[in-house]
Amino acid sequence: MMNVMLAPSLESAPPVSVFQPRHDAASSEIVERGIMVQSSFNTVCAIEYLKSHNVKPQVIERVLLHPDQRRTSPH
C-alpha cells in the first residue's frame, strides 16, 4: 500500500493578501475618480471613464462590481 501525503486544504491555509500596495499615484487617482463617477452617474459611465484611462479590465470589474474587494484608501 502506498502512503500518499495530501496537500492541505484551502480552509486550513493561512489567509494571504491578494492585493499589493499601490505604487502608482496617478493610476490610484484615476480609479478613485472612476468610483466617484459610478456613485454620481452610473456604472456604464464609470466603465467608460476607466477604459479611456487604460485601466485593466480586471481592475475595472473589481472596483466597480465588487466594492468589498477594493483596497482601503491610505487617506
Side-chain angles (χ1 to χ4, degrees):
M1 190 168 186
M2 195 162 109
N3 187 2
V4 178
M5 188 170 161
L6 298 175
S9 71
L10 291 176
E11 287 112 19
S12 65
V16 176
S17 176
V18 179
F19 307 114
Q20 297 176 7
R22 293 185 186 118
H23 297 290
D24 182 356
S27 294
S28 176
E29 290 176 16
I30 290 167
V31 169
E32 291 296 325
R33 283 191 205 114
I35 293 167
M36 289 172 52
V37 167
Q38 182 186 34
S39 65
S40 299
F41 298 99
N42 60 48
T43 301
V44 173
C45 290
I47 290 169
E48 292 303 318
Y49 173 81
L50 293 170
K51 283 172 55 177
S52 73
H53 285 84
N54 300 315
V55 175
K56 294 179 182 178
Q58 309 91 296
V59 174
I60 294 172
E61 179 181 355
R62 178 173 52 84
V63 299
L64 298 181
L65 302 181
H66 306 287
D68 57 316
Q69 294 179 10
R70 292 178 188 157
R71 293 183 175 119
T72 55
S73 178
H75 307 300

